[in-house]
Amino acid sequence: MSRPADGGRQEGKAYLSTIDRSLVQALPLFAKMAPEALDDVLRRAASFRYPVGQAVFEQGQLAEHFVVLLHGRLRVTQVTPEGQQVVVRVVNPGDLFGIAKALRRSDYPGTATAVVESIVLAWPMGIWSDLLEQHPALAVNAMQTMGSRLLEAQQRIREMSTEEVERRVAHTVLRLANQAGRKDTGGVRIDFPISKQDIAELTGTTLHTVSRILSAWESAGLVEGGRQKLLIRDPHQLLLIGDGLRPGLL
Amino acid sequence: MSRPADGGRQEGKAYLSTIDRSLVQALPLFAKMAPEALDDVLRRAASFRYPVGQAVFEQGQLAEHFVVLLHGRLRVTQVTPEGQQVVVRVVNPGDLFGIAKALRRSDYPGTATAVVESIVLAWPMGIWSDLLEQHPALAVNAMQTMGSRLLEAQQRIREMSTEEVERRVAHTVLRLANQAGRKDTGGVRIDFPISKQDIAELTGTTLHTVSRILSAWESAGLVEGGRQKLLIRDPHQLLLIGDGLRPGLL
DNA sequence: CGGATTGTTGAGGATACTCAAGTTAGGTGG
DNA sequence: CCACCTAACTTGAGTATCCTCAACAATCCG
């Protein structure tokens, strides 16, 4: 969303001058909005395309836009001062993100990177308050977005506080399946490339431990792995592991 | 906020029929609101008092009210299905909480307990949407409340993912000092009774580990403990520990 | 003064991390 | 289309951190 001074990175380009209402009216974010209101909101948006690996915005950058993901998938990461990376969350189509204003920040707290080719709608951050005040339904919906994220964050905290790694990995995988699962032959497939490292950073463990756990699950027929691939064969058993009801497989 | 069927628990009682504007107009939640608007909002609120140890609401209860803490201090906890407790956060005066509607929930996700005598303002949950739509400034402020909480939750996740226990305890203690610190002779005192167990549940560790760490810090002159007491003598050293720049004391 | 809650400290052990050495898969360029 | 190179992943061995279990001490409250 920026024009970095270093110029090294190619920004996504606007590819639609007007955005059609039909593209977005089904999104929960725009629920209960009158067609004219929706048109007003869309008129102020620009659309951008990002190829795999490109950042929509980066941690620490001045937050110039807030964004809705139309198509694709993003991974939001944060890097600690010591250089350790954490995956904050996965952005799914329809999600609102980059709303630094709502967090009373002027910069982005994390980096959002396209893990598959992605298309976003972006608005200048300056009109955030205006838009909310002019479209109360939008404010309510945006708040629910934040609410879901808060609940998910608290769930992760609870898990990290009380559960051992194998259970946490089970919960992480199940959450991914809920957010980005697609029925496939013999199971539910995570619909975008996800590495063991990603899963580790979502769970608060190491790549090595995730690999060992998934290997064990694969031997037991619960999942099927692969390079940046994950197919869940038996979600129910995974649920049992997550609830600590199944003897660990390690 | 409920009248539990078991009848065992005494509910806080309304003690003011009308609430004066001056009590709340300084709160960030009500910033930038016109006096008449504020009066309108307050007219629909009721005030309640809770003695130490009493719950404002409990996890799983039907969420009938949303609440602002006027005076006192609350601890919000969640209990896992296995019975392990986690402290979600501490509610400080001026904080908005219990906004289940914003989380798209009909029940409270946690229990809020008064750790000192507390006074709250409460509104029926049914008017949440109305209030937001009629007072856009309130919507913006409420969203910022959620934003702060989201940032704090993500910070905790980052800490639990990447830091060892001693650093996490340091961060927890410093956060408490920021939220509820009061200048005292020779340091900053946490302004409400907090047990080692509480700190453990905020940090994602055990009472025992917290006790050991605080004992070590006390020997080094960084803090001063006591039963449900905590005085921070040397915040700067604690910052260094939190940033991993100081050799651990264990 | 006695009971209950809160906190201290030690010993032992398990979970999961670090370190290390590979293997496999995929993409790229010749 | 094959060879190569890198990124992703696997697996083993050793070990550190922190948890569990245990017994006891201190503080508060009625």
Side-chain angles (χ1 to χ4, degrees), chain A residues 28 78 80 82 84-86 88 101-105 109 128 132-133 136-137 139-140 142-151 153-154 156-158 160-162 167 201 204 243, chain B residues 28 78 80 82 84-86 88 101-105 109 128 132-133 136-137 139-140 142-151 153-154 156-158 160-162 167 201 204 243:
Chain A
Q78 285 181 348
T80 66
E82 292 97 51
Q84 286 192 83
Q85 196 175 74
V86 178
V88 176
K101 253 288 170 46
L103 289 74
R104 266 180 296 191
R105 294 188 59 125
W128 171 251
L132 289 190
E133 296 192 9
V140 170
M143 201 167 312
Q144 291 189 342
T145 294
M146 298 190 64
S148 315
R149 279 201 231 161
L150 191 53
L151 282 179
Q154 280 170 0
R156 270 174 84 178
I157 290 173
R158 216 180 322 130
M160 296 180 77
S161 294
T162 62
R167 294 182 57 185
E201 289 177 13
D243 290 347
Chain B
Q78 285 181 349
T80 67
E82 291 96 51
Q84 284 192 84
Q85 196 174 73
V86 178
V88 176
K101 252 292 170 43
L103 311 172
R104 266 180 294 192
R105 295 187 57 123
W128 171 252
L132 290 189
E133 296 192 8
V140 171
M143 202 168 311
Q144 291 189 340
T145 294
M146 298 188 63
S148 316
R149 278 200 232 161
L150 191 53
L151 282 178
Q154 281 171 358
R156 271 174 83 177
I157 290 173
R158 215 180 322 131
M160 296 180 77
S161 295
T162 62
R167 293 181 58 185
E201 289 177 14
D243 290 347

Coordinates of all heavy atoms in Angstrom, one line a residue, chain A residues 28 78 80 82 84-86 88 101-105 109 128 132-133 136-137 139-140 142-151 153-154 156-158 160-162 167 201 204 243, chain B residues 28 78 80 82 84-86 88 101-105 109 128 132-133 136-137 139-140 142-151 153-154 156-158 160-162 167 201 204 243:
Chain A
P28 N -19.7 -10.3 5.1 CA -20.3 -9.9 6.4 C -20.0 -8.5 6.8 O -20.8 -7.8 7.4 CB -19.6 -10.9 7.4 CG -19.2 -12.0 6.6 CD -18.9 -11.5 5.2
Q78 N 4.7 -10.9 12.8 CA 5.4 -9.8 13.5 C 6.8 -10.4 13.8 O 7.0 -11.6 14.1 CB 4.7 -9.5 14.9 CG 3.5 -8.7 14.7 CD 2.8 -8.4 16.0 OE1 3.2 -9.0 17.0 NE2 1.9 -7.5 16.0
T80 N 10.0 -10.0 16.4 CA 10.4 -9.4 17.7 C 11.7 -8.7 17.5 O 12.4 -8.9 16.5 CB 10.6 -10.5 18.8 OG1 11.7 -11.3 18.4 CG2 9.4 -11.4 18.8
E82 N 14.4 -9.3 18.8 CA 15.5 -10.2 18.6 C 15.5 -10.9 17.3 O 16.3 -11.8 17.0 CB 15.5 -11.2 19.7 CG 15.8 -10.6 21.1 CD 14.6 -10.3 21.9 OE1 13.7 -11.2 22.0 OE2 14.4 -9.2 22.3
Q84 N 13.0 -12.9 16.2 CA 12.1 -14.1 16.1 C 10.8 -13.7 15.5 O 10.2 -12.7 15.8 CB 11.9 -14.7 17.5 CG 13.1 -15.4 18.0 CD 12.8 -16.2 19.2 OE1 12.3 -17.4 19.1 NE2 13.0 -15.7 20.4
Q85 N 10.3 -14.6 14.6 CA 9.0 -14.3 13.9 C 7.9 -15.0 14.6 O 8.0 -16.1 15.0 CB 9.1 -14.7 12.4 CG 8.1 -14.0 11.6 CD 8.3 -14.3 10.1 OE1 8.0 -15.4 9.6 NE2 8.7 -13.3 9.4
V86 N 6.7 -14.3 14.6 CA 5.5 -14.9 15.0 C 4.4 -14.7 14.0 O 4.4 -13.6 13.4 CB 5.0 -14.3 16.4 CG1 3.7 -14.9 16.8 CG2 6.1 -14.4 17.4
V88 N 0.9 -13.8 13.3 CA -0.3 -13.3 14.1 C -1.6 -13.9 13.7 O -2.4 -14.4 14.5 CB -0.3 -11.8 13.9 CG1 -1.6 -11.2 14.6 CG2 0.9 -11.1 14.4
K101 N -5.8 2.6 12.6 CA -6.5 3.7 13.3 C -7.3 3.2 14.4 O -7.3 3.8 15.5 CB -7.4 4.4 12.3 CG -7.0 5.8 11.8 CD -7.1 6.9 12.8 CE -6.4 8.1 12.4 NZ -6.8 8.5 11.0
A102 N -7.9 2.0 14.2 CA -8.8 1.5 15.3 C -7.9 1.0 16.5 O -8.4 0.9 17.6 CB -9.6 0.3 14.7
L103 N -6.7 0.8 16.2 CA -5.8 0.4 17.3 C -5.0 1.6 17.9 O -4.1 1.5 18.6 CB -4.8 -0.6 16.8 CG -5.4 -2.0 16.6 CD1 -6.2 -2.1 15.3 CD2 -4.3 -3.1 16.5
R104 N -5.4 2.8 17.4 CA -4.7 4.0 17.8 C -3.2 4.0 17.5 O -2.4 4.4 18.3 CB -4.9 4.3 19.3 CG -6.1 5.2 19.6 CD -6.3 5.4 21.1 NE -6.6 4.2 21.8 CZ -7.0 4.1 23.0 NH1 -7.2 5.2 23.7 NH2 -7.3 3.0 23.6
R105 N -2.9 3.5 16.3 CA -1.5 3.4 15.9 C -1.4 4.2 14.6 O -2.4 4.2 13.8 CB -1.1 2.0 15.7 CG -1.0 1.2 17.0 CD -0.3 -0.1 16.7 NE 1.0 0.1 16.2 CZ 2.1 -0.5 16.8 NH1 2.0 -1.2 17.8 NH2 3.3 -0.3 16.2
P109 N 1.3 -2.7 12.8 CA 2.0 -3.5 13.8 C 2.6 -4.8 13.2 O 3.4 -5.4 13.9 CB 0.9 -3.8 14.8 CG -0.4 -3.6 14.2 CD -0.1 -2.7 13.0
W128 N -11.1 6.7 7.6 CA -11.6 5.7 8.5 C -12.8 6.2 9.4 O -13.9 5.7 9.4 CB -10.5 5.1 9.3 CG -10.9 4.2 10.4 CD1 -10.8 4.4 11.8 CD2 -11.3 2.8 10.3 NE1 -11.2 3.3 12.5 CE2 -11.5 2.3 11.6 CE3 -11.6 2.0 9.2 CZ2 -12.0 1.0 11.9 CZ3 -12.1 0.7 9.5 CH2 -12.3 0.2 10.8
L132 N -16.9 5.4 9.2 CA -17.6 4.8 10.3 C -18.8 5.6 10.8 O -19.9 5.1 11.1 CB -16.7 4.6 11.5 CG -15.6 3.5 11.4 CD1 -14.9 3.3 12.7 CD2 -16.2 2.2 10.8
E133 N -18.6 6.9 10.8 CA -19.6 7.8 11.3 C -20.8 7.9 10.3 O -21.9 8.1 10.6 CB -19.1 9.2 11.6 CG -18.0 9.1 12.8 CD -17.7 10.4 13.4 OE1 -18.3 11.4 13.0 OE2 -16.7 10.4 14.2
P136 N -23.1 3.7 10.1 CA -23.0 3.0 11.4 C -23.0 1.5 11.3 O -22.4 0.8 12.1 CB -24.3 3.5 12.0 CG -24.7 4.8 11.3 CD -24.2 4.6 9.9
A137 N -23.7 0.9 10.2 CA -23.7 -0.5 10.1 C -22.3 -1.0 9.9 O -21.9 -2.1 10.4 CB -24.6 -0.9 8.9
A139 N -19.7 0.4 11.1 CA -19.0 0.4 12.4 C -19.3 -0.8 13.2 O -18.4 -1.4 13.8 CB -19.4 1.7 13.1
V140 N -20.6 -1.2 13.2 CA -21.0 -2.4 14.0 C -20.3 -3.6 13.4 O -19.7 -4.4 14.2 CB -22.5 -2.6 13.9 CG1 -22.9 -3.9 14.5 CG2 -23.2 -1.4 14.7
A142 N -17.5 -3.8 11.6 CA -16.0 -3.7 11.9 C -15.7 -4.1 13.3 O -14.7 -4.8 13.6 CB -15.5 -2.3 11.6
M143 N -16.6 -3.7 14.2 CA -16.4 -4.0 15.6 C -16.5 -5.5 15.8 O -15.7 -6.1 16.6 CB -17.4 -3.3 16.5 CG -16.9 -3.2 17.9 SD -17.8 -2.0 18.9 CE -17.8 -0.6 17.9
Q144 N -17.4 -6.1 15.1 CA -17.5 -7.6 15.2 C -16.3 -8.3 14.7 O -15.9 -9.3 15.2 CB -18.8 -8.1 14.5 CG -20.0 -7.6 15.3 CD -21.3 -8.2 14.8 OE1 -21.4 -8.7 13.7 NE2 -22.4 -8.1 15.6
T145 N -15.7 -7.7 13.6 CA -14.5 -8.3 13.1 C -13.4 -8.2 14.2 O -12.7 -9.3 14.5 CB -13.9 -7.4 12.0 OG1 -14.8 -7.5 10.9 CG2 -12.6 -7.8 11.5
M146 N -13.3 -7.1 14.9 CA -12.3 -7.0 16.0 C -12.7 -7.9 17.1 O -11.8 -8.5 17.7 CB -12.2 -5.6 16.5 CG -11.8 -4.6 15.4 SD -11.4 -3.0 16.0 CE -10.0 -3.4 17.1
G147 N -13.9 -8.1 17.4 CA -14.4 -9.0 18.4 C -13.9 -10.4 18.1 O -13.4 -11.1 19.0
S148 N -14.1 -10.9 16.9 CA -13.7 -12.2 16.6 C -12.3 -12.4 16.8 O -11.8 -13.4 17.3 CB -14.1 -12.6 15.1 OG -15.4 -12.1 14.8
R149 N -11.5 -11.4 16.3 CA -10.1 -11.5 16.5 C -9.6 -11.6 17.9 O -8.7 -12.3 18.3 CB -9.4 -10.3 15.8 CG -9.3 -10.5 14.3 CD -8.2 -9.6 13.8 NE -8.8 -8.8 12.7 CZ -8.2 -7.7 12.3 NH1 -7.2 -7.2 12.9 NH2 -8.7 -7.1 11.3
L150 N -10.3 -10.8 18.7 CA -10.0 -10.7 20.1 C -10.3 -12.1 20.8 O -9.5 -12.6 21.5 CB -10.8 -9.6 20.8 CG -10.4 -9.2 22.2 CD1 -9.0 -8.9 22.3 CD2 -11.3 -8.1 22.7
L151 N -11.4 -12.7 20.4 CA -11.7 -14.0 21.0 C -10.7 -15.0 20.5 O -10.3 -15.8 21.3 CB -13.1 -14.4 20.5 CG -14.3 -13.8 21.2 CD1 -15.6 -14.3 20.6 CD2 -14.3 -14.1 22.7
A153 N -7.6 -14.5 19.7 CA -6.3 -14.2 20.4 C -6.4 -14.7 21.8 O -5.5 -15.4 22.3 CB -6.1 -12.7 20.4
Q154 N -7.6 -14.5 22.5 CA -7.7 -15.0 23.9 C -7.7 -16.5 23.9 O -7.2 -17.1 24.8 CB -8.9 -14.5 24.5 CG -8.7 -13.0 25.0 CD -10.0 -12.4 25.4 OE1 -11.1 -12.9 25.4 NE2 -9.9 -11.1 25.9
R156 N -6.0 -18.4 21.9 CA -4.6 -18.8 21.7 C -3.9 -18.7 23.0 O -3.1 -19.5 23.4 CB -3.9 -18.0 20.6 CG -4.0 -18.6 19.3 CD -3.4 -17.6 18.2 NE -2.0 -17.7 18.0 CZ -1.3 -17.0 17.1 NH1 -2.0 -16.2 16.3 NH2 0.0 -17.1 17.0
I157 N -4.1 -17.6 23.7 CA -3.5 -17.4 25.0 C -3.8 -18.5 26.0 O -3.0 -19.0 26.7 CB -3.9 -16.0 25.6 CG1 -3.2 -14.9 24.8 CG2 -3.5 -15.9 27.1 CD1 -3.7 -13.5 25.2
R158 N -5.1 -18.8 26.0 CA -5.6 -19.9 26.9 C -4.8 -21.2 26.6 O -4.4 -21.9 27.4 CB -7.1 -20.1 26.8 CG -7.8 -20.4 28.0 CD -9.3 -20.5 27.8 NE -9.8 -19.6 26.9 CZ -10.5 -19.8 25.8 NH1 -10.9 -21.1 25.6 NH2 -10.9 -18.9 25.0
M160 N -2.0 -21.6 25.0 CA -0.5 -21.6 25.3 C -0.3 -21.6 26.8 O 0.8 -22.1 27.2 CB 0.1 -20.3 24.7 CG 0.0 -20.3 23.2 SD 0.7 -18.8 22.4 CE 2.4 -19.2 22.6
S161 N -1.3 -21.2 27.6 CA -1.1 -21.2 29.0 C -1.3 -22.6 29.6 O -0.7 -23.0 30.6 CB -2.1 -20.3 29.7 OG -1.8 -18.9 29.3
T162 N -2.2 -23.3 29.0 CA -2.7 -24.5 29.7 C -2.4 -25.8 28.9 O -2.5 -26.9 29.5 CB -4.2 -24.4 29.9 OG1 -4.9 -24.4 28.7 CG2 -4.5 -23.2 30.7
R167 N -1.5 -30.8 21.7 CA -2.9 -30.3 21.7 C -3.0 -29.0 21.0 O -3.9 -28.7 20.3 CB -3.4 -30.2 23.2 CG -3.5 -31.5 23.9 CD -4.0 -31.3 25.3 NE -5.3 -30.6 25.3 CZ -6.0 -30.3 26.4 NH1 -5.4 -30.5 27.6 NH2 -7.1 -29.7 26.3
E201 N 4.9 -21.2 14.1 CA 4.8 -19.9 14.6 C 3.4 -19.5 15.0 O 3.2 -18.5 15.7 CB 5.4 -18.9 13.5 CG 6.9 -19.0 13.3 CD 7.4 -18.1 12.2 OE1 6.7 -17.3 11.7 OE2 8.6 -18.3 11.8
G204 N 3.3 -21.4 18.6 CA 4.3 -21.1 19.7 C 5.2 -22.3 20.0 O 5.4 -22.7 21.1
D243 N -8.7 -31.9 22.7 CA -9.4 -31.9 24.0 C -8.6 -32.7 25.1 O -9.1 -32.9 26.2 CB -10.8 -32.3 23.9 CG -11.6 -31.3 23.1 OD1 -11.2 -30.2 23.0 OD2 -12.8 -31.6 22.7
Chain B
P28 N -11.9 8.3 28.6 CA -11.6 8.2 27.2 C -12.8 7.7 26.4 O -13.0 8.1 25.2 CB -10.4 7.3 27.1 CG -9.8 7.3 28.4 CD -10.8 7.6 29.4
Q78 N -10.9 -16.9 32.9 CA -11.6 -18.0 32.1 C -11.2 -19.3 32.7 O -10.0 -19.4 33.1 CB -11.3 -17.9 30.7 CG -11.9 -16.8 29.9 CD -11.6 -16.8 28.4 OE1 -10.7 -17.5 28.0 NE2 -12.3 -16.0 27.7
T80 N -10.8 -23.3 31.8 CA -10.9 -24.3 30.7 C -11.8 -25.4 31.1 O -12.1 -25.6 32.2 CB -9.5 -24.8 30.4 OG1 -9.0 -25.6 31.5 CG2 -8.5 -23.7 30.2
E82 N -11.0 -28.3 31.4 CA -10.4 -29.2 32.4 C -10.2 -28.5 33.8 O -9.6 -29.1 34.7 CB -9.0 -29.6 31.9 CG -9.0 -30.5 30.7 CD -8.8 -29.7 29.5 OE1 -7.9 -28.9 29.4 OE2 -9.6 -29.9 28.6
Q84 N -8.6 -25.6 34.5 CA -7.5 -24.7 34.7 C -8.0 -23.3 34.5 O -8.7 -23.0 33.6 CB -6.4 -25.1 33.8 CG -5.6 -26.3 34.2 CD -4.3 -26.5 33.4 OE1 -3.3 -25.9 33.7 NE2 -4.4 -27.2 32.3
Q85 N -7.5 -22.4 35.3 CA -7.9 -21.0 35.2 C -6.8 -20.2 34.5 O -5.6 -20.4 34.7 CB -8.2 -20.4 36.6 CG -9.0 -19.1 36.6 CD -9.3 -18.7 38.0 OE1 -8.5 -18.2 38.8 NE2 -10.6 -18.8 38.3
V86 N -7.3 -19.2 33.8 CA -6.4 -18.2 33.1 C -7.0 -16.9 33.5 O -8.2 -16.7 33.4 CB -6.4 -18.4 31.6 CG1 -5.5 -17.4 30.9 CG2 -5.9 -19.8 31.2
V88 N -7.6 -13.4 32.1 CA -7.6 -12.8 30.8 C -7.1 -11.4 30.9 O -6.3 -11.0 30.1 CB -9.1 -12.8 30.3 CG1 -9.2 -12.0 29.0 CG2 -9.6 -14.2 30.1
K101 N -22.0 -8.5 23.0 CA -22.6 -8.2 21.7 C -21.5 -7.9 20.6 O -21.7 -8.4 19.5 CB -23.5 -7.0 21.8 CG -25.0 -7.3 21.8 CD -25.5 -7.8 20.4 CE -27.0 -8.2 20.5 NZ -27.8 -7.4 21.3
A102 N -20.5 -7.2 21.0 CA -19.5 -6.8 20.0 C -18.7 -8.1 19.6 O -18.0 -8.1 18.6 CB -18.5 -5.8 20.6
L103 N -18.7 -9.1 20.4 CA -18.0 -10.3 20.1 C -19.0 -11.3 19.5 O -18.6 -12.5 19.3 CB -17.4 -11.0 21.4 CG -16.6 -10.0 22.3 CD1 -16.3 -10.7 23.6 CD2 -15.4 -9.6 21.5
R104 N -20.2 -10.9 19.2 CA -21.2 -11.8 18.6 C -21.5 -13.0 19.5 O -21.6 -14.1 19.0 CB -20.8 -12.3 17.2 CG -21.4 -11.4 16.1 CD -21.0 -11.8 14.8 NE -19.5 -11.7 14.6 CZ -18.9 -11.8 13.4 NH1 -19.6 -12.1 12.3 NH2 -17.6 -11.7 13.3
R105 N -21.5 -12.7 20.8 CA -21.8 -13.8 21.7 C -23.1 -13.4 22.5 O -23.3 -12.2 22.8 CB -20.7 -14.0 22.7 CG -19.4 -14.5 22.0 CD -18.4 -14.9 23.0 NE -18.9 -15.9 24.0 CZ -18.4 -17.1 24.2 NH1 -17.3 -17.4 23.6 NH2 -18.9 -17.9 25.0
P109 N -17.9 -14.5 28.0 CA -16.8 -15.5 27.8 C -16.0 -15.7 29.0 O -15.2 -16.6 29.1 CB -16.0 -15.0 26.6 CG -16.4 -13.5 26.6 CD -17.7 -13.3 27.2
W128 N -27.1 -1.8 23.0 CA -25.8 -1.7 22.5 C -25.7 -1.1 21.1 O -25.1 -0.1 20.8 CB -25.1 -3.0 22.6 CG -23.7 -3.1 21.9 CD1 -23.4 -3.7 20.7 CD2 -22.5 -2.5 22.4 NE1 -22.1 -3.6 20.5 CE2 -21.5 -2.9 21.4 CE3 -22.1 -1.8 23.5 CZ2 -20.1 -2.5 21.6 CZ3 -20.8 -1.4 23.6 CH2 -19.8 -1.7 22.7
L132 N -24.6 2.8 19.8 CA -23.5 3.0 18.9 C -24.0 3.8 17.7 O -23.2 4.7 17.2 CB -22.9 1.6 18.4 CG -22.2 0.8 19.5 CD1 -21.5 -0.4 18.8 CD2 -21.1 1.6 20.2
E133 N -25.2 3.5 17.2 CA -25.6 4.1 16.0 C -26.0 5.6 16.3 O -25.9 6.5 15.5 CB -26.8 3.3 15.4 CG -26.3 2.0 14.9 CD -27.3 1.2 14.0 OE1 -28.4 1.9 13.7 OE2 -27.1 0.1 13.7
P136 N -22.0 8.1 17.3 CA -20.8 7.6 16.5 C -19.5 7.7 17.3 O -18.6 6.9 17.2 CB -20.8 8.4 15.3 CG -22.3 8.9 15.1 CD -22.8 9.1 16.5
A137 N -19.4 8.8 18.0 CA -18.1 9.0 18.8 C -17.9 7.9 19.8 O -16.8 7.4 20.0 CB -18.2 10.3 19.5
A139 N -19.0 4.8 19.3 CA -18.6 3.7 18.5 C -17.1 3.7 18.3 O -16.4 2.7 18.4 CB -19.3 3.6 17.2
V140 N -16.6 4.9 17.9 CA -15.1 5.0 17.6 C -14.3 4.7 18.9 O -13.4 4.0 18.9 CB -14.8 6.4 17.1 CG1 -13.3 6.6 17.0 CG2 -15.4 6.6 15.7
A142 N -15.3 3.0 21.5 CA -15.4 1.6 21.9 C -14.5 0.7 21.1 O -13.9 -0.2 21.6 CB -16.9 1.1 21.8
M143 N -14.4 1.1 19.8 CA -13.5 0.3 18.9 C -12.1 0.5 19.3 O -11.3 -0.5 19.3 CB -13.7 0.8 17.5 CG -13.3 -0.3 16.5 SD -13.8 0.0 14.8 CE -15.5 0.4 15.0
Q144 N -11.7 1.6 19.8 CA -10.3 1.8 20.3 C -10.0 1.0 21.5 O -8.9 0.5 21.7 CB -10.0 3.3 20.5 CG -10.0 4.1 19.2 CD -9.5 5.5 19.3 OE1 -9.5 6.0 20.4 NE2 -9.1 6.1 18.2
T145 N -11.1 0.9 22.4 CA -10.9 0.0 23.5 C -10.6 -1.4 23.1 O -9.7 -2.0 23.6 CB -12.3 0.0 24.3 OG1 -12.5 1.2 24.8 CG2 -12.2 -1.1 25.4
M146 N -11.4 -1.9 22.1 CA -11.1 -3.2 21.6 C -9.8 -3.3 20.9 O -9.1 -4.4 21.1 CB -12.2 -3.6 20.6 CG -13.6 -3.7 21.3 SD -14.8 -4.4 20.2 CE -14.2 -6.0 20.0
G147 N -9.4 -2.3 20.3 CA -8.1 -2.2 19.6 C -6.9 -2.4 20.6 O -6.0 -3.2 20.4
S148 N -7.0 -1.7 21.7 CA -6.0 -1.8 22.8 C -5.9 -3.2 23.3 O -4.8 -3.8 23.5 CB -6.3 -0.9 23.9 OG -6.7 0.4 23.5
R149 N -7.1 -3.8 23.5 CA -7.1 -5.1 24.1 C -6.5 -6.1 23.1 O -5.8 -7.1 23.5 CB -8.5 -5.5 24.4 CG -9.0 -5.0 25.7 CD -10.1 -5.8 26.1 NE -11.2 -4.9 26.5 CZ -12.5 -5.3 26.6 NH1 -12.8 -6.5 26.4 NH2 -13.4 -4.4 26.9
L150 N -6.8 -5.9 21.8 CA -6.3 -6.8 20.8 C -4.8 -6.7 20.7 O -4.1 -7.7 20.7 CB -6.9 -6.4 19.4 CG -6.7 -7.4 18.3 CD1 -7.1 -8.8 18.7 CD2 -7.5 -6.9 17.1
L151 N -4.3 -5.5 20.8 CA -2.8 -5.3 20.8 C -2.2 -6.0 22.0 O -1.1 -6.6 21.9 CB -2.5 -3.8 20.8 CG -2.6 -3.1 19.4 CD1 -2.2 -1.6 19.6 CD2 -1.7 -3.8 18.4
A153 N -3.4 -8.5 23.7 CA -3.5 -9.9 23.6 C -2.4 -10.4 22.6 O -1.7 -11.4 22.9 CB -4.9 -10.3 23.0
Q154 N -2.2 -9.7 21.5 CA -1.1 -10.1 20.6 C 0.3 -10.0 21.2 O 1.1 -10.8 20.9 CB -1.2 -9.3 19.3 CG -2.3 -9.8 18.4 CD -2.6 -8.9 17.2 OE1 -2.0 -7.8 17.1 NE2 -3.5 -9.3 16.4
R156 N 0.9 -10.5 24.3 CA 1.0 -11.7 25.2 C 1.4 -12.9 24.4 O 2.2 -13.7 24.8 CB -0.3 -11.9 26.0 CG -0.3 -11.2 27.3 CD -1.6 -11.3 28.0 NE -1.8 -12.6 28.8 CZ -2.9 -12.8 29.5 NH1 -3.9 -12.0 29.5 NH2 -3.0 -14.0 30.2
I157 N 0.7 -13.1 23.3 CA 1.0 -14.2 22.4 C 2.4 -14.2 21.9 O 3.1 -15.2 22.0 CB 0.0 -14.2 21.2 CG1 -1.4 -14.5 21.6 CG2 0.5 -15.2 20.1 CD1 -2.5 -14.4 20.5
R158 N 2.9 -13.0 21.5 CA 4.3 -12.9 21.1 C 5.2 -13.3 22.2 O 6.2 -14.1 22.0 CB 4.5 -11.5 20.7 CG 5.5 -11.4 19.5 CD 5.7 -9.9 19.1 NE 4.5 -9.1 19.2 CZ 4.3 -8.0 19.9 NH1 5.4 -7.4 20.5 NH2 3.2 -7.4 19.9
M160 N 4.6 -15.2 24.9 CA 4.5 -16.6 25.2 C 5.2 -17.5 24.2 O 5.6 -18.6 24.4 CB 3.1 -17.0 25.4 CG 2.4 -16.3 26.6 SD 0.7 -16.8 26.8 CE 0.9 -18.4 27.6
S161 N 5.2 -17.0 22.9 CA 5.8 -17.8 21.8 C 7.3 -17.7 21.9 O 8.0 -18.6 21.5 CB 5.3 -17.2 20.5 OG 4.0 -17.4 20.3
T162 N 7.9 -16.6 22.3 CA 9.3 -16.3 22.1 C 10.1 -16.2 23.3 O 11.3 -16.2 23.2 CB 9.5 -15.1 21.2 OG1 9.0 -14.0 21.9 CG2 8.7 -15.2 19.9
R167 N 11.5 -13.6 31.6 CA 11.2 -12.4 30.8 C 9.7 -12.1 30.8 O 9.3 -10.9 30.8 CB 11.8 -12.5 29.4 CG 13.3 -12.6 29.3 CD 13.7 -12.8 27.9 NE 13.3 -11.7 27.1 CZ 13.5 -11.6 25.7 NH1 14.1 -12.6 25.1 NH2 13.0 -10.6 25.1
E201 N -1.0 -16.8 36.3 CA -2.1 -17.1 35.3 C -2.1 -16.0 34.3 O -2.7 -16.2 33.2 CB -3.5 -17.1 36.0 CG -3.6 -18.4 36.8 CD -4.9 -18.5 37.6 OE1 -5.9 -17.7 37.3 OE2 -5.1 -19.4 38.5
G204 N 1.2 -17.3 32.1 CA 1.2 -18.7 31.5 C 2.3 -19.5 32.2 O 3.1 -20.1 31.5
D243 N 13.7 -7.4 28.3 CA 14.3 -7.4 26.9 C 15.4 -8.4 26.8 O 16.1 -8.4 25.7 CB 14.9 -5.9 26.6 CG 13.7 -4.9 26.5 OD1 12.6 -5.4 26.3 OD2 14.0 -3.7 26.5

